């Protein structure tokens, strides 16, 4: 069942851009804010590899946004 209110692609400056690009930008902005909060709380001092946590949080959030689109 396809959602009628979410287009598969849209025109931006005469170029067709997939909706997943918007989901990517939203995930990047959300992870930037989450990263600031986690750094302020000192969570990164408790994890084994902070970069891996950042990447895994980004891909998890991007997957959630992507599933919301498709």
């Amino acid at each position: 069942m396809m959602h009628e209110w979410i287009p598969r692609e849209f025109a931006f400056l005469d170029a067709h851009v997939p909706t997943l690009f918007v989901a990517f930008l939203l995930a990047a902005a959300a992870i930037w804010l989450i990263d600031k909060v986690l750094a302020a709380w000192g969570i990164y001092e408790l994890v084994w590899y902070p970069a891996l946590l950042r990447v895994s949080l980004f891909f998890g959030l991007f997957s959630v946004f992507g599933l919301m689109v498709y």
Side-chain angles (χ1 to χ4, degrees):
M1 181 175 115
M2 188 173 97
H3 299 289
E4 296 297 326
W5 53 275
I6 300 176
R8 297 272 182 186
E9 60 184 23
F10 60 93
F12 178 71
L13 297 175
D14 292 333
H16 289 283
V17 178
T19 308
L20 280 180
F21 181 69
V22 177
F24 179 85
L25 293 178
L26 288 175
I31 288 300
W32 181 71
L33 292 173
I34 292 170
D35 184 50
K36 294 292 183 188
V37 170
L38 292 179
W41 287 351
I43 299 296
Y44 290 129
E45 297 173 3
L46 303 174
V47 298
W48 171 66
Y49 197 63
L52 184 62
L53 178 64
R54 287 182 180 114
V55 170
S56 64
L57 285 174
F58 172 75
F59 280 113
L61 192 61
F62 178 59
S63 298
V64 168
F65 288 161
L67 287 174
M68 289 170 62
V69 171
Y70 292 102

